[in-house]
Amino acid sequence: MSYNAPVSQTDLQAYADGQLSPMRRREVEEYLKKNPEMASMIEDYKNINDAVHKYFDPILEEPLPAQITVPVHSNRLKLLRVAAVSSWLALGGVIGWQLHPATVTLTTVDMLTAHLVKPAAFAHVIYTPEVRHPVEVSGKEHEHMVKWLSKRLKTMLQIPDLRDHGYELVGGRLLPSTDRMAAQFMYQRSDGVRITLYNRRGVWGNKATSFQFTKEKDTAVFYWIDGPLGFALVGNLSKRDLLKISESVYQQLN
Amino acid sequence: MAKYSEQVTSFIPHLRRYARALMGGDIMAADDLVQDCLERALSRIHLWRKGSDLRAWLFTIMHNLYANHIRKLSTAPKFVDLDSDNIRMNDNSNAERDLEIRDIQQAINTLTPDQREVLLLVTLEGLPYREVATILGMPEGTVMSKLSRAREKLRVIMQMENPKRLRRVK
């Protein structure tokens, strides 16, 4: 661009995006000094650029979800699990699981705590004290509820029968979780004690873990992953009682 | 070929960021778009000239997939049947998404699909206008006018929502 060429819309856009040559940039700067209205517009454009970056840049740091894979071309199509080489999730979790199915590494525990245990415990604490609206769909509409929630979670759900342990199904609800939807099923004992089973798909892909246990104050949680689904059974029960029910849930789902 | 997959892998975070912004913040839909893009890239690897810009090539593929997606959306019925009991739910009322969408995402959602693409490729990816024109298959002049329209729209929306905020963002 030659010196003193009139400043165009394109120049102004390019100025905001830092796409001008140093010389042209100085010319536009001069122009903006004399045109405060344009200068304020450019200021807004820059602020929009910043806001877009601020909002979306954290995605660059996210661990890759297991379902994202780079297909590798060999004689036949083979899927290379990118996650297995590039993310902490896989390094900590997947490899750990494959080598030692009975142990779960620390990073995996962190991940499951954030995406499974905490939301499950929170949903338990929120909904179990409810008198009038403990569930969204009543257990009487069992069949409909399974269909509906399976559709929304995009995976086949099953509702375990816990009557042998003295728990009747109250019903269930759809919940937002950290990055997905989750389903919560609630059960109740004749004395009013309630437990909940939380199900969701997650960043872990297709895995299997052993039972893990955690407890905060009176709220105890057994959690595990089986295939695409993560499960958390939550209750204000002893570890032993909750484990018995967890085993029963696990057996019924397999 | 292993080299190629490594290179592609290094762009995945960028593809995910772009897809997330395009798809209105819907993580699952965005990641599906990324996965489709990776698969298509592989199936057409013979069309990629070694040494040419792999990033531009990947974003071109994503643009084509996104354009198909938008075409399908425009012919699809507005209401989606979510199960056999005929529970109907307006796609726009997706509560899970509503929680996530804030400010800038909401503003971007009001842009037309091609305004969105231009704005995001320029601001998020920082691509030169010429490259954006190549990726989107439109003349550079069209890129510029779409960019300018997109920005004006965002400017009005952001000022409307919080008149003082825009100037404070640093």
Side-chain angles (χ1 to χ4, degrees):
Chain A
M1 298 255 182
S2 67
Y3 187 70
N4 272 349
V7 169
S8 66
Q9 251 300 315
T10 299
D11 286 325
L12 292 174
Q13 301 289 341
Y15 179 79
D17 293 321
Q19 294 203 20
L20 286 180
S21 68
M23 192 181 143
R24 188 63 180 159
R25 197 172 61 226
R26 278 193 296 275
E27 288 169 11
V28 173
E29 267 161 13
E30 286 305 311
Y31 166 84
L32 290 176
K33 272 183 204 157
K34 290 174 223 142
N35 294 273
E37 210 166 288
M38 283 296 155
S40 116
M41 181 186 85
I42 295 297
E43 198 52 35
D44 284 350
Y45 286 180
K46 282 184 174 169
N47 284 337
I48 289 168
N49 282 5
D50 288 346
V52 169
H53 271 288
K54 219 180 199 171
Y55 191 87
F56 293 107
D57 280 358
I59 295 168
L60 295 177
E61 308 303 324
E62 284 178 14
L64 291 184
Q67 66 265 32
I68 290 197
T69 54
V70 172
V72 173
H73 205 47
S74 60
N75 287 342
R76 296 232 236 92
L77 288 189
K78 238 182 3 185
L79 291 184
L80 166 76
R81 291 212 160 266
V82 179
V85 292
S86 66
S87 86
W88 55 269
L89 158 66
L91 280 179
V94 178
I95 295 169
W97 275 324
Q98 282 166 352
L99 298 180
H100 313 282
T103 59
V104 175
T105 60
L106 197 62
T107 44
T108 307
V109 170
D110 286 347
M111 187 260 293
L112 293 181
T113 301
H115 292 288
L116 184 60
V117 179
K118 277 191 180 165
F122 195 34
H124 178 87
V125 172
I126 291 175
Y127 292 115
T128 49
E130 278 283 339
V131 177
R132 288 192 58 185
H133 310 291
V135 293
E136 199 170 10
V137 181
S138 155
K140 289 177 194 122
E141 295 178 78
H142 188 285
E143 206 178 311
H144 157 74
M145 182 165 64
V146 173
K147 259 196 233 162
W148 170 56
L149 291 172
S150 296
K151 204 107 187 175
R152 295 310 309 271
L153 266 66
K154 297 195 174 92
T155 186
M156 272 311 295
L157 293 176
Q158 292 176 65
I159 306 180
D161 183 343
L162 301 179
R163 280 177 294 190
D164 284 354
H165 299 271
Y167 289 87
E168 290 280 347
L169 179 68
V170 183
R173 59 168 74 235
L174 179 71
L175 293 169
S177 192
T178 49
D179 60 344
R180 300 268 155 114
M181 285 179 256
Q184 182 195 52
F185 301 123
M186 192 182 294
Y187 298 82
Q188 184 171 336
R189 215 160 60 184
S190 55
D191 61 0
V193 170
R194 286 168 170 176
I195 56 175
T196 56
L197 178 65
Y198 187 88
N199 312 247
R200 57 159 291 181
R201 294 201 304 162
V203 291
W204 42 79
N206 238 325
K207 304 284 170 289
T209 67
S210 52
F211 286 144
Q212 307 294 318
F213 178 76
T214 182
K215 190 169 182 176
E216 200 182 309
K217 288 184 190 156
D218 293 332
T219 308
V221 186
F222 266 104
Y223 59 100
W224 67 96
I225 295 177
D226 191 7
L229 276 174
F231 299 89
L233 187 70
V234 191
N236 297 23
L237 301 179
S238 73
K239 186 175 177 180
R240 232 185 66 201
D241 288 348
L242 198 63
L243 176 61
K244 265 190 221 150
I245 304 172
S246 300
E247 284 168 345
S248 165
V249 169
Y250 180 82
Q251 276 158 16
Q252 289 184 46
L253 300 183
N254 279 275
Chain B
M1 206 51 84
K3 258 223 156 133
Y4 157 78
S5 75
E6 265 169 43
Q7 281 185 58
V8 171
T9 304
S10 69
F11 288 121
I12 292 177
H14 286 262
L15 292 169
R16 289 187 78 219
R17 178 178 65 172
Y18 179 55
R20 188 90 56 92
L22 276 184
M23 303 299 278
D26 184 331
I27 299 182
M28 278 201 274
D31 280 345
D32 282 350
L33 186 64
V34 173
Q35 186 59 30
D36 287 350
C37 176
L38 296 173
E39 274 159 27
R40 186 176 284 207
L42 171 83
S43 71
R44 305 187 164 200
I45 181 66
H46 57 280
L47 295 176
W48 176 60
R49 280 175 299 109
K50 260 213 169 109
S52 70
D53 188 346
L54 186 62
R55 177 171 72 161
W57 188 65
L58 288 170
F59 277 100
T60 306
I61 292 173
M62 185 164 276
H63 158 67
N64 292 332
L65 289 168
Y66 177 66
N68 285 343
H69 169 78
I70 294 296
R71 249 196 306 279
K72 268 189 221 144
L73 270 192
S74 66
T75 54
K78 275 239 155 98
F79 291 92
V80 184
D81 195 357
L82 285 168
D83 77 10
S84 52
D85 295 338
N86 276 334
I87 290 169
R88 294 188 160 210
M89 187 168 169
N90 189 325
D91 201 37
N92 295 328
S93 70
N94 190 329
E96 191 177 5
R97 235 187 290 158
D98 286 349
L99 277 174
E100 275 182 17
I101 300 167
R102 291 284 180 264
D103 297 346
I104 192 75
Q105 174 77 73
Q106 214 146 23
I108 288 172
N109 290 353
T110 67
L111 302 178
T112 65
D114 44 4
Q115 285 171 352
R116 260 190 235 192
E117 287 188 291
V118 169
L119 180 94
L120 294 169
L121 288 174
V122 170
T123 57
L124 264 190
E125 294 307 317
L127 294 176
Y129 302 140
R130 197 174 354 97
E131 208 169 302
V132 175
T134 312
I135 288 172
L136 300 179
M138 54 175 76
E140 209 175 316
T142 312
V143 167
M144 296 318 298
S145 65
K146 285 188 192 301
L147 178 63
S148 153
R149 238 170 283 152
R151 277 185 166 145
E152 273 312 307
K153 225 180 199 173
L154 291 186
R155 193 169 162 237
V156 170
I157 292 170
M158 308 274 291
Q159 277 173 336
M160 251 168 25
E161 282 192 350
N162 201 338
K164 277 185 194 142
R165 207 204 108 164
L166 199 58
R167 291 231 156 73
R168 270 196 283 116
V169 177
K170 191 82 225 226

